[in-house]
């Protein structure tokens, strides 16, 4: 990707970073975090031990302890045999935490991000309201329906950490560019403009998504590290993972918002000058 294509990506990154460090955005992360913490605190308190007991019974009945122990030993990870059940349980819960954190952020934080960026940098940009809450919900649910099974299929890759991080970054890159592009343009762009921007800037949007995806893989690394360290740290690591997701999602929302609104403004300027033909919806 040449410098001309990278420049707007880096410019939007710098704007998002400055906005992320403002008091308003830091305070904004508290609400989705507390909502997610309350939800998952209750679920883990009431449901984690029954889930562990169920998985332990499955591993015992089907001889999975022996099979998983052999596989782990092959990769020099035999010491994980003692925590394989909680490791499987908590990694299986991780995509559900992704879903809830994203939903809380979408409801609570994304409208505030749109207002924040619009008022600071794009106050004169006309709003055409080409998206809707239902449209956003459908895009989110469709993305999750594809993301969650692929996430579960990728969990064994954590045996080889670098491969897992690359796989997670690509998955997150696809999901975030799909969801965030729609939300970032929902208020300001028409449906046709949104399609034109996504088609024109596909590589740049995917690049932002992949970088955000690499950051989105961090909570999974934290959980694995916690599993290796001590089982009793799981509740604290769950809270840390939720907080990391919320902060990463808010920064990602800001990054996409700045990039997409700048692209929309340039598209309209080009069309006003007659430099860019309209793309059929």
């Amino acid at each position: 990707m040449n410098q001309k294509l990278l420049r707007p990506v880096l410019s939007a990154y710098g704007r998002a970073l400055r906005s992320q460090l403002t008091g308003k955005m830091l305070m904004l992360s508290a609400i989705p975090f507390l909502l997610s913490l309350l939800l998952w605190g209750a679920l883990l308190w009431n449901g984690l031990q029954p889930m562990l007991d169920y998985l332990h019974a499955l591993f015992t009945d089907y001889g999975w302890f022996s099979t998983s122990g052999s596989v782990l030993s092959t990769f020099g990870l035999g010491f994980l045999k003692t925590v394989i059940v909680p490791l499987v349980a908590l990694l299986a819960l991780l995509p559900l935490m992704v879903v809830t954190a994203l939903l809380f952020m979408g409801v609570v934080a994304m409208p505030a991000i749109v207002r924040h960026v619009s008022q600071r940098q794009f106050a004169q940009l006309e709003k055409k309201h080409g998206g809707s809450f239902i449209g956003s919900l459908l895009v989110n649910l469709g993305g999750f329906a594809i993301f969650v099974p692929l996430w579960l299929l990728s969990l064994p890759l954590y045996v080889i950490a670098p491969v897992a991080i690359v796989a997670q970054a690509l998955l997150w890159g696809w999901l975030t560019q799909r969801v965030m592009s729609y939300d970032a343009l929902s208020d300001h762009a028409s449906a046709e403009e949104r399609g034109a921007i996504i088609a024109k800037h596909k590589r740049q949007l995917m690049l932002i998504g992949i970088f955000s995806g690499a950051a989105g893989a961090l909570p999974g690394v934290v959980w694995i590290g916690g599993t290796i360290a001590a089982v009793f740290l799981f509740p604290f690591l769950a809270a840390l993972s939720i907080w990391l997701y919320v902060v990463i999602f808010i920064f990602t929302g800001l990054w996409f918002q700045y990039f997409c609104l700048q692209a929309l403004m340039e598209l309209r300027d080009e069309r006003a000058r007659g430099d860019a033909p309209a793309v059929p919806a």
Side-chain angles (χ1 to χ4, degrees):
M1 189 174 291
N2 60 41
Q3 186 176 2
K4 182 179 179 181
L5 294 177
L6 279 176
R7 190 178 299 114
V9 172
L10 296 176
S11 175
Y13 176 89
R15 288 176 169 184
L17 186 60
R18 289 191 294 272
S19 292
Q20 176 82 59
L21 298 176
T22 61
K24 182 177 181 180
M25 288 297 112
L26 292 174
M27 287 296 295
L28 184 62
S29 68
I31 299 176
F33 169 69
L34 291 175
L35 290 173
S36 299
L37 192 62
L38 287 173
L39 173 64
W40 281 100
L43 290 175
L44 291 176
W45 179 266
N46 293 292
L48 181 58
Q49 191 57 52
M51 183 179 183
L52 292 175
D53 293 341
Y54 175 74
L55 285 174
H56 192 278
L58 283 180
F59 270 71
T60 301
D61 293 343
Y62 292 96
W64 291 350
F65 280 114
S66 176
T67 302
S68 61
S70 300
V71 173
L72 290 171
S73 297
T74 301
F75 291 95
L77 300 172
F79 60 92
L80 287 177
K81 288 187 293 185
T82 58
V83 292
I84 187 63
V85 169
L87 176 62
V88 170
L90 293 175
L91 285 178
L93 288 172
L94 202 54
L96 299 179
M97 294 179 66
V98 174
V99 171
T100 54
L102 263 178
L103 287 176
F104 283 137
M105 199 213 82
V107 172
V108 176
M110 201 62 195
I113 289 173
V114 173
R115 289 193 301 270
H116 176 80
V117 173
S118 177
Q119 292 169 2
R120 285 169 64 94
Q121 301 286 340
F122 303 95
Q124 304 304 316
L125 195 60
E126 179 188 357
K127 294 183 178 181
K128 295 188 177 180
H129 302 289
S132 65
F133 175 78
I134 297 299
S136 177
L137 184 61
L138 291 174
V139 169
N140 276 267
L141 292 177
F144 292 139
I146 298 172
F147 174 82
V148 171
L150 291 177
W151 168 279
L152 293 174
L153 289 173
S154 72
L155 292 182
L157 295 177
Y158 273 107
V159 173
I160 309 173
V163 176
I165 291 174
V166 171
Q168 293 297 310
L170 291 174
L171 278 175
W172 274 96
W174 175 82
L175 179 65
T176 53
Q177 66 86 21
R178 175 188 172 91
V179 172
M180 295 292 184
S181 297
Y182 184 96
D183 289 342
L185 293 165
S186 181
D187 277 358
H188 290 78
S190 66
E192 180 272 321
E193 287 175 328
R194 184 177 67 249
I197 289 171
I198 292 174
K200 179 179 179 180
H201 300 283
K202 185 186 305 181
R203 287 188 296 169
Q204 292 158 305
L205 292 169
M206 190 64 184
L207 181 64
I208 296 174
I210 288 174
F211 274 101
S212 301
L218 289 176
V221 175
V222 169
W223 279 57
I224 290 176
T227 306
I228 296 171
V231 172
F232 68 85
L233 288 178
F234 282 161
F236 304 100
L237 293 169
L240 177 59
S241 295
I242 291 171
W243 178 78
L244 283 172
Y245 274 125
V246 171
V247 172
I248 290 166
F249 290 155
I250 287 178
F251 176 78
T252 302
L254 287 165
W255 196 356
F256 272 93
Q257 195 69 43
Y258 276 112
F259 180 87
C260 288
L261 290 189
Q262 182 65 37
L264 176 60
M265 186 174 68
E266 292 174 358
L267 176 67
R268 288 181 180 173
D269 287 344
E270 290 174 357
R271 289 183 173 179
R273 297 192 305 267
D275 296 336
V279 178

